[in-house]
Amino acid sequence: MTHKVDLWMGSVFILGVGYICAVQAYDPKVCVRVESVPYTRSEYRMRQEPYQKHSFWRGWETKYRPVYGWQDVVDYRSETKQYCCDGYEGSISNCKPVCVGGCSGNSYCTAPNICSCKDGYGGADCHPICSSCGRNEFCLNPNRCACNEGYQKIHDEGDCLPVCPEPCGNSSFCAAPGTCECIVGYAKSVSNASCQPVCSPECGSNSFCQQPNVCACEKGYQAEGEGTCVPICDAGCGDHSQCVRPGGCECKAGYALGEVGNCLPVCSQGCPEHSSCLTPSVCICDPGYTMKADRCEPHCPQQCSDYAQCTAPNVCECYPGYVATGEDGKCEPNCSQGCANGFCFSPEVCVCSIGYLMGPNQTCEPQCSLNCVHGECTQPETCSCLPGYRFQGSSQHICEAVCEKGCEHGDCVAPEICLCHVGYQPVENVCQPVCETSCVNSTCSGPDHCSCLEGYEHSSNSTCIPHCSKGCEHGDCLEPEVCTCRPGYEQTDEGCTLRITSTTASISTPFDDSTPFDDTTNPAVVPFAGLLQLPVANCSEDCPCWNEFDELGPLTNAKCVKVCRDSHDKPCLDLSECSCELSTGQLVCEGSGDYSSEEARYICKTPKQGKIEAAKDSSKALGWLRVVGWCIAVVSLVAIVVAIAVKLYPKYASKRAYQVDEAIYEDTL
């Protein structure tokens, strides 16, 4: 079945192509195209038909089964259609060409966008064609001529002539439609457009063209040689005047009418002073003057001197800024202010002499090649010092300030002004040394340097103590060469020797101010008066420096405290207020207004060898005490921690057991 259909469609296609070729060969304006056209046909085929089937396991379900029968099927077939080709329009039986721009009235469209002229017409614009037309004619229709606009034939014969609506005047003719022109030898007048005769060359002034190339003088004028017309003055004209119009005279150029009616010369630019107008624009100088550069200058037979000028005949005067000097009357420049250290070169201009230069105030100032330091240049290469300054050494240009009272340890920077060196300060205009630390029993002799007074010696950089040349063992040198024995000693020829007396002293102790000291009462505390009899190294009054002591030991940052020797030792320890504690070897002092208001303990900072050993034993004992104390503290802390743990453990154990039981119960569930 399908094979037959394909064979039928192939036959139809071949017939259509043959038809198209036949049509195109018959009429080229008609074109053919093949189109695919849908149509419906019946076809026997299978299709799937749904149906319901019941199953024990799945219940009702949809199944499909094949069903055969006829069905409509859409197919396509080729058909041939005719139409007017491109560039043509209309029905296929009458396809006409199309010209997009259209064709003119004398043409028609013969092919797409191609126009052709009608019979009797030609050219690009398809104009009518005539075999021959006369002058001023045009081809109106094929082989038919007509006059141009504005032209017409006389009695319908001959050439076409121009037509002028208004008649042309004399000496003119109608040359073009509505246009009149003059005949040869005449030209139109500008004023009234009439034709007037033309003279070549043109007629001169005071004349007119009477006929072509024929001139005539106007009334009141007469012809003069070479065809010019001049006015006629019957009475005649005077000198330097001329007849300019009939019966009228005027002065010639360069002259003007004078007061008496005569013509005088005129100098338009005027004449300079001391001159008069001789002829038009020509001046002449008065007697005694000569013309120079368009001006009349006075003439002096004897030439004037330099910087002078001749102001009048035989009179010479100096230029401004110059004055006549001497018997010869020569002119010299004048400087009203004078020219000190120079000379007047020109009016009010001075030129300085050698070694001088013009200053800002227009005066000649001396110059020095070397700069004058603290001075001024008073003469060329000569410096003078300013007040309060003098030349430095052998220098003749450097000046230094002068301080009449001297400037030791400083620099004189200005007259009577002294700037002290570092470490010095001005005191009553004198540079005195500065010592940051006050000098005791000494004077400040240099920056931070103290010099001891006579009879004193240095105990430190800033402190001097009295000096005893013979020594002062077991005593205090309170003044130069004055030794005061300590308590328990007495002054002898051999110096301070031990006083042979009882050891019991009446000096009050820190515990009881009214009870004499008795070593049987408190053997651990001994007043200082009895220390001289006791072998206690740390409480010896020979210790040069005491160090404050507390429960942790000696203070490492404490300053050295000395024993009071005299009123200059401040701060210091007053041994009369102190007692020695034999059990520790420490010096116990009550408070005083000079140092402290509370009880303080001291230990010798730099004891002798025996004292050092005692101090070491004491420090060792204190060290063991510290170790024992730390051990007690650690044991106490451990005991507290154990007690807290013992107290809290039963609660924690019971809570842990409860959590385990609860977990076991949950697992069983």
Side-chain angles (χ1 to χ4, degrees):
M1 185 68 180
T2 303
H3 178 70
K4 292 180 178 181
V5 172
D6 293 339
L7 182 61
W8 179 79
M9 291 183 66
S11 300
V12 172
F13 178 76
I14 293 172
L15 292 175
V17 171
Y19 179 75
I20 291 172
C21 293
V23 171
Q24 288 183 343
Y26 177 73
D27 190 355
K29 296 182 289 183
V30 178
C31 294
V32 178
R33 60 172 173 260
V34 178
E35 295 181 353
S36 182
V37 180
Y39 69 96
T40 302
R41 63 183 177 84
S42 295
E43 183 177 342
Y44 189 78
R45 60 170 55 182
M46 181 192 71
R47 63 182 177 84
Q48 295 290 336
E49 181 181 40
Y51 68 94
Q52 297 294 322
K53 184 178 182 180
H54 185 270
S55 173
F56 176 79
W57 297 103
R58 294 183 178 87
W60 290 100
E61 59 181 353
T62 302
K63 294 287 186 176
Y64 292 88
R65 58 190 172 193
V67 176
Y68 294 89
W70 290 96
Q71 293 182 3
D72 291 336
V73 178
V74 178
D75 205 347
Y76 293 86
R77 63 187 174 197
S78 297
E79 292 184 0
T80 302
K81 289 188 177 182
Q82 298 179 356
Y83 65 96
C84 291
C85 296
D86 292 340
Y88 293 88
E89 62 182 2
S91 62
I92 58 175
S93 60
N94 186 22
C95 292
K96 296 181 179 180
V98 177
C99 295
V100 177
C103 295
S104 62
N106 298 325
S107 62
Y108 61 96
C109 190
T110 58
N113 294 322
I114 297 176
C115 296
S116 299
C117 295
K118 297 178 181 179
D119 293 338
Y121 295 87
D125 56 350
C126 292
H127 57 272
I129 298 175
C130 297
S131 58
S132 63
C133 289
R135 186 179 179 183
N136 300 323
E137 290 181 332
F138 68 97
C139 187
L140 179 62
N141 290 317
N143 294 321
R144 181 183 175 185
C145 297
C147 290
N148 294 335
E149 185 179 1
Y151 292 84
Q152 66 181 5
K153 289 184 178 182
I154 300 176
H155 306 297
D156 296 329
E157 296 179 358
D159 295 333
C160 293
L161 300 177
V163 176
C164 293
E166 299 291 335
C168 296
N170 296 329
S171 305
S172 64
F173 65 96
C174 186
T179 302
C180 295
E181 292 184 1
C182 298
I183 61 177
V184 179
Y186 289 84
K188 287 187 177 182
S189 173
V190 178
S191 59
N192 53 15
S194 61
C195 292
Q196 301 293 332
V198 177
C199 295
S200 180
E202 294 183 356
C203 297
S205 59
N206 305 320
S207 63
F208 63 96
C209 187
Q210 189 175 26
Q211 293 179 1
N213 296 324
V214 176
C215 295
C217 292
E218 295 180 356
K219 184 178 180 181
Y221 292 85
Q222 62 183 0
E224 200 173 25
E226 299 180 359
T228 59
C229 297
V230 296
I232 301 173
C233 293
D234 296 334
C237 297
D239 295 336
H240 308 301
S241 63
Q242 59 185 353
C243 184
V244 295
R245 59 183 176 277
C249 295
E250 288 184 359
C251 294
K252 294 181 179 180
Y255 291 86
L257 189 64
E259 296 180 355
V260 295
N262 58 339
C263 292
L264 300 177
V266 175
C267 295
S268 58
Q269 301 296 328
C271 290
E273 188 179 7
H274 308 297
S275 66
S276 59
C277 189
L278 178 63
T279 59
S281 300
V282 176
C283 298
I284 185 172
C285 294
D286 296 340
Y289 292 85
T290 57
M291 182 69 71
K292 290 184 180 180
D294 296 333
R295 66 176 181 270
C296 292
E297 296 182 353
H299 176 65
C300 296
Q302 295 182 353
Q303 187 176 2
C304 297
S305 63
D306 294 338
Y307 309 115
Q309 59 183 350
C310 185
T311 58
N314 295 325
V315 177
C316 292
E317 290 185 0
C318 295
Y319 290 150
Y322 292 83
V323 293
T325 59
E327 295 180 357
D328 54 359
K330 289 185 178 181
C331 296
E332 300 289 343
N334 180 38
C335 295
S336 59
Q337 302 297 326
C339 288
N341 302 320
F343 62 92
C344 189
F345 176 74
S346 62
E348 303 300 336
V349 177
C350 294
V351 174
C352 297
S353 302
I354 297 176
Y356 293 85
L357 285 179
M358 187 64 67
N361 55 355
Q362 299 301 315
T363 58
C364 294
E365 298 178 352
Q367 299 298 308
C368 297
S369 58
L370 297 177
N371 186 27
C372 295
V373 181
H374 300 305
E376 57 183 5
C377 189
T378 55
Q379 295 292 333
E381 302 299 336
T382 302
C383 291
S384 297
C385 293
L386 297 175
Y389 291 85
R390 64 187 174 192
F391 285 114
Q392 184 182 52
S394 60
S395 176
Q396 294 299 316
H397 70 281
I398 299 177
C399 300
E400 61 181 3
V402 177
C403 295
E404 296 295 341
K405 296 181 181 180
C407 191
E408 187 178 3
H409 305 304
D411 297 323
C412 188
V413 295
E416 304 303 333
I417 297 178
C418 188
L419 182 63
C420 296
H421 293 163
V422 177
Y424 292 85
Q425 63 182 2
V427 179
E428 296 181 357
N429 296 327
V430 178
C431 292
Q432 298 290 348
V434 177
C435 295
E436 297 295 336
T437 304
S438 300
C439 294
V440 180
N441 296 326
S442 59
T443 59
C444 187
S445 58
D448 290 327
H449 182 268
C450 297
S451 297
C452 293
L453 300 176
E454 185 178 0
Y456 290 83
E457 62 182 357
H458 280 288
S459 63
S460 66
N461 290 336
S462 61
T463 304
C464 296
I465 59 176
H467 175 64
C468 295
S469 58
K470 295 180 180 181
C472 190
E473 187 178 4
H474 305 301
D476 297 323
C477 188
L478 301 179
E479 295 181 7
E481 304 300 339
V482 176
C483 183
T484 302
C485 295
R486 294 176 182 169
Y489 293 85
E490 61 183 355
Q491 186 73 36
T492 64
D493 294 339
E494 297 178 358
C496 293
T497 58
L498 185 62
R499 182 184 300 138
I500 307 300
T501 59
S502 173
T503 58
T504 303
S506 61
I507 300 176
S508 60
T509 68
F511 305 100
D512 189 0
D513 294 340
S514 62
T515 305
F517 176 75
D518 188 356
D519 56 358
T520 61
T521 305
N522 188 0
V525 180
V526 179
F528 195 83
L531 291 178
L532 303 178
Q533 312 299 329
L534 299 174
V536 180
N538 285 348
C539 295
S540 174
E541 65 177 348
D542 292 334
C543 179
C545 177
W546 295 89
N547 192 12
E548 190 173 356
F549 191 91
D550 59 9
E551 63 275 5
L552 298 178
L555 300 181
T556 57
N557 59 350
K559 294 183 178 179
C560 182
V561 181
K562 301 177 181 179
V563 177
C564 294
R565 303 296 183 186
D566 52 33
S567 60
H568 298 288
D569 292 335
K570 297 296 176 92
C572 59
L573 290 175
D574 188 359
L575 295 181
S576 63
E577 299 293 335
C578 302
S579 62
C580 183
E581 189 175 78
L582 298 179
S583 61
T584 61
Q586 298 175 5
L587 190 65
V588 181
C589 299
E590 295 292 336
S592 62
D594 295 333
Y595 198 72
S596 175
S597 61
E598 299 179 356
E599 180 183 271
R601 292 175 177 267
Y602 299 89
I603 188 171
C604 186
K605 188 173 183 180
T606 56
K608 294 181 180 179
Q609 189 64 30
K611 297 179 182 180
I612 294 173
E613 292 176 357
K616 287 183 179 179
D617 294 340
S618 176
S619 63
K620 287 181 180 179
L622 291 175
W624 279 108
L625 289 175
R626 291 194 190 94
V627 172
V628 173
W630 277 106
C631 291
I632 293 172
V634 172
V635 171
S636 300
L637 180 61
V638 172
I640 292 171
V641 172
V642 171
I644 294 172
V646 169
K647 185 176 181 180
L648 297 178
Y649 182 76
K651 296 181 179 180
Y652 173 79
S654 61
K655 183 177 180 181
R656 180 63 178 172
Y658 173 77
Q659 292 178 349
V660 172
D661 295 339
E662 186 177 0
I664 294 172
Y665 175 76
E666 290 176 353
D667 291 338
T668 57
L669 295 177

